[in-house]
Amino acid sequence: MFTTDESALDNDDSFLDKGIIDSTGILELVTFLEQEFGIQIADEELLPENLDSIDRLVNFIHRKQS
C-alpha cells in the first residue's frame, strides 16, 4: 500500500497491460471468483470492463452479489 516501488500494482492498473495475467489466467481467475464468492460468471461477462483491474473486480463482484 505504501511503497516507493514503481512496479507496484495500483488498484486501477490493467492486469493484461501489465502482463500480470493472460487469457488462461483469466479463466483461472473466473474459477477462483466463482468458488470463493459463490457467483456464476457468464461467458458474455468475460470482459475487461469486469475483470481487468482490482477496482473492476471489486465492482463486478459487488454487482454479482447484489
Side-chain angles (χ1 to χ4, degrees):
M1 185 168 165
F2 301 105
T3 182
T4 58
D5 182 359
E6 293 183 16
S7 67
L9 183 66
D10 289 325
N11 288 349
D12 61 346
D13 284 344
S14 167
F15 298 144
L16 295 169
D17 291 346
K18 290 274 190 169
I20 294 168
I21 199 167
D22 60 12
S23 57
T24 303
I26 292 290
L27 297 177
E28 292 175 11
L29 175 62
V30 166
T31 299
F32 169 79
L33 294 173
E34 289 180 332
Q35 292 173 351
E36 186 69 22
F37 296 100
I39 59 175
Q40 292 295 313
I41 301 173
D43 290 343
E44 57 269 9
E45 295 175 311
L46 298 177
L47 303 169
E49 293 81 15
N50 294 330
L51 305 170
D52 194 27
S53 73
I54 294 170
D55 285 341
R56 290 176 179 195
L57 277 174
V58 169
N59 290 331
F60 179 66
I61 293 166
H62 284 157
R63 287 193 312 272
K64 293 295 286 184
Q65 291 180 324
S66 299

